[in-house]
């Protein structure tokens, strides 16, 4: 079997939550530009490299206009583009990048982002410790990002179609769910979850080759013995749940509950006893950012109440600011376990990215993508 293109497979990783965010909110750069185009004080044009939609919440109120900040924005299709752009001439020209937390240690280790001067981000005082203290972003006592949105991968299910509330990922193999399980074509997420529940690995992203094989074998077992579909987007999976074609899922996202409700149906979620993985997206200040004051202003704004409410209420993603959480619309607040962050931390883990380089023991990300083809072809 030929080795798959990393670029091709990594692009698959991007067809997940950020695509849903774009679709729900109808986000375009024109929205932000329209707000920023009002008369303002002396203009600072900050350079933003990140996911489409992750600039939108900066303009939830008049802050950016009042500060005279406009954006020169380049949207990415995968996290690797952040690394590439910074390594190939971006240092000294880029201000803010928006990696997921698994990439932050790599960016910090390679000196592509700067440690955060916390005194310049006062809204950090209102951030839940669960996010601010995560070891992917808080490295050796230094904070290297401003975490601003999060979610995890619970099990989604149709409460009217199951005999009892499921408690284990292995319940997917019960006879009542045969041919009614939904999965996502999400290499990173699928392997992390399968590794957590089906191997003895201490970390779901630090796997030996045998552990990687066991994880893929488990994915294939779910696909062959239980699954009805492997969806290419969260919207497709939500549609299947709403129609009743799928009644339970391997992996998921809290926001699917809202997607299904919007279609006039009901879905719930549970964190099975084996646990799951979580994701946390960030604003990072690039090394030698040319507009550092503007970069810090944006880091502070994105975790401010106005921006966080936009992310929570309109984009229906998890938010990090406790004051904003208190002000969320009840329906949006009910989507995420804001009432028990400590309990959530015991059920869902923010894993770092798999190794990129060989160390003689652990499978690299390239190995993951090669082995994932077995699942795709099963």
């Amino acid at each position: 079997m030929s080795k798959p293109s990393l670029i091709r497979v990594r692009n698959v990783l991007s067809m997940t939550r950020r695509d849903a965010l774009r679709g729900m909110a109808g986000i375009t750069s024109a929205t932000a530009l329209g707000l920023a185009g009002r008369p303002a004080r002396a203009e600072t044009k900050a350079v933003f490299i990140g996911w489409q939609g992750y600039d939108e919440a900066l303009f939830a109120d008049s802050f950016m206009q009042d500060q005279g900040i406009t954006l020169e924005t380049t949207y990415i299709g995968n996290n690797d583009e952040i690394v590439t752009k910074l390594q190939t001439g971006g240092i000294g020209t880029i201000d803010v990048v928006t990696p997921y937390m698994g990439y932050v240690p790599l960016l910090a280790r390679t000196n592509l982002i700067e440690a955060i001067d916390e005194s310049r981000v006062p809204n950090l005082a209102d951030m839940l410790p669960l996010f601010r203290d995560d070891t992917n972003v808080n490295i050796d006592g230094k904070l290297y990002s401003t975490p601003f949105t999060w979610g995890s991968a619970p099990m989604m299910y149709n409460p009217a179609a199951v005999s009892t509330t499921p408690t284990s990922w292995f319940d997917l193999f019960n006879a009542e769910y045969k041919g009614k399980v939904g999965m996502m074509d999400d290499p990173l997420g699928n392997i992390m979850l399968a590794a957590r529940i089906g191997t003895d690995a201490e970390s779901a992203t630090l796997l030996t080759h045998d552990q990687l094989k066991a994880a893929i074998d488990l994915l294939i077992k779910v696909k062959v013995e239980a699954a009805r579909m492997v969806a290419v987007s969260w919207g497709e999976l939500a549609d299947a749940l709403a129609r009743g074609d799928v009644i339970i899922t391997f992996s998921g996202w809290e926001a699917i509950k809202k997607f299904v409700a919007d279609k006039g149906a009901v879905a719930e979620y549970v964190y099975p006893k084996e646990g799951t993985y979580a994701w946390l997206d960030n604003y990072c200040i690039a090394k030698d950012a040319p507009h550092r004051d503007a970069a810090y202003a944006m880091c502070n704004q994105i975790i401010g109440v106005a921006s966080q409410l936009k992310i929570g209420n309109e984009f229906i993603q998890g938010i990090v600011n406790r004051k904003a959480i208190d002000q969320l619309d009840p329906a949006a607040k009910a989507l995420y376990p804001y009432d028990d962050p400590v309990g959530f931390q015991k059920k869902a883990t923010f894993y770092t990215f798999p190794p990129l380089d060989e160390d003689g023991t652990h499978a690299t990300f390239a190995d993951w993508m090669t082995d994932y083809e077995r699942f795709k072809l099963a």
Side-chain angles (χ1 to χ4, degrees):
M1 182 185 303
S2 62
K3 192 169 185 177
S5 162
L6 283 184
I7 293 176
R8 175 178 64 79
V9 180
R10 285 171 178 175
N11 282 339
V12 172
L13 302 184
S14 72
M15 293 161 40
T16 53
R17 296 166 179 85
R18 291 92 177 189
D19 289 310
L21 181 145
R22 288 201 298 269
M24 285 185 296
I27 295 167
T28 65
S29 59
T31 305
L33 292 173
L35 286 168
R38 300 174 185 172
R41 67 188 193 184
E43 178 183 294
T44 297
K45 184 174 287 186
V47 178
F48 175 99
I49 308 291
W51 296 101
Q52 185 175 354
Y54 280 3
D55 53 337
E56 172 80 0
L58 289 170
F59 299 89
D61 57 18
S62 65
F63 180 82
M64 294 287 280
Q65 176 198 353
D66 295 342
Q67 294 294 309
I69 301 171
T70 59
L71 295 182
E72 180 180 316
T73 302
T74 298
Y75 296 131
I76 60 173
N78 57 73
N79 282 279
D80 287 340
E81 292 181 37
I82 293 173
V83 180
T84 300
K85 290 179 185 298
L86 288 171
Q87 287 180 331
T88 57
I91 298 298
T93 68
I94 296 171
D95 295 298
V96 169
V97 294
T98 66
Y100 115 100
M101 85 285 162
Y103 266 69
V104 174
L106 169 65
L107 292 167
R109 186 174 67 249
T110 53
N111 203 30
L112 295 176
I113 57 174
E114 298 186 358
I116 299 294
D117 179 350
E118 297 185 35
S119 70
R120 301 188 66 178
V121 190
N123 285 328
L124 284 169
D126 298 320
M127 184 178 292
L128 293 175
L130 168 64
F131 310 111
R132 181 173 173 170
D133 296 342
D134 182 72
T135 55
N136 288 289
V137 301
N138 200 318
I139 304 168
D140 296 330
K142 291 184 178 180
L143 189 65
Y144 278 89
S145 76
T146 304
F148 73 99
T149 188
W150 63 279
S152 72
M155 174 187 283
M156 313 302 303
Y157 68 96
N158 180 338
V162 302
S163 57
T164 58
T165 300
T167 60
S168 168
W169 288 110
F170 292 98
D171 288 344
L172 295 174
F173 297 110
N174 292 351
E176 65 179 301
Y177 303 135
K178 185 176 179 62
K180 299 177 182 179
V181 174
M183 304 178 76
M184 277 289 293
D185 184 10
D186 176 7
L188 183 62
N190 281 349
I191 297 174
M192 281 194 294
L193 181 55
R196 173 156 184 159
I197 67 180
T199 78
D200 59 357
E202 292 186 10
S203 168
T205 54
L206 198 61
L207 308 178
T208 65
H209 290 275
D210 286 343
Q211 289 166 337
L212 174 60
K213 180 182 182 300
I216 299 296
D217 288 346
L218 177 58
L219 290 177
I220 292 172
K221 182 178 174 67
V222 176
K223 180 180 179 181
V224 172
E225 297 183 12
R228 180 184 180 94
M229 70 179 304
V230 179
V232 299
S233 71
W234 294 108
E236 183 181 12
L237 188 59
D239 287 345
L241 276 164
R243 290 193 306 267
D245 295 343
V246 163
I247 63 174
I248 197 167
T249 68
F250 178 88
S251 189
W253 180 21
E254 292 89 349
I256 290 178
K257 182 175 178 178
K258 175 67 163 52
F259 299 165
V260 173
D262 288 345
K263 298 176 184 298
V266 176
E268 298 293 346
Y269 68 78
V270 63
Y271 299 105
K273 62 184 181 182
E274 298 89 358
T276 188
Y277 67 91
W279 55 273
L280 180 63
D281 283 349
N282 303 267
Y283 268 34
C284 294
I285 297 178
K287 179 70 175 177
D288 297 335
H291 308 102
R292 189 172 280 100
D293 289 345
Y296 271 106
M298 290 190 288
C299 286
N300 195 56
Q301 172 71 356
I302 200 64
I303 59 170
V305 170
S307 293
Q308 289 279 285
L309 287 176
K310 189 174 185 69
I311 293 166
N313 288 331
E314 296 184 29
F315 303 161
I316 57 173
Q317 295 192 186
I319 61 174
V320 303
N321 183 311
R322 58 169 61 89
K323 290 181 179 177
I325 291 168
D326 290 341
Q327 298 176 44
L328 279 172
D329 294 341
K333 188 174 183 179
L335 290 174
Y336 293 88
Y338 293 117
D339 59 340
D340 186 19
V342 174
F344 172 79
Q345 191 173 23
K346 295 177 180 178
K347 302 169 185 174
T349 301
F350 297 113
Y351 292 109
T352 193
F353 203 72
L356 296 177
D357 301 316
E358 297 278 358
D359 66 5
T361 301
H362 300 102
T364 66
F365 183 61
D367 296 325
W368 281 40
M369 297 303 97
T370 298
D371 224 18
Y372 189 73
E373 289 296 297
R374 289 202 296 121
F375 166 78
K376 296 276 285 186
L377 294 171

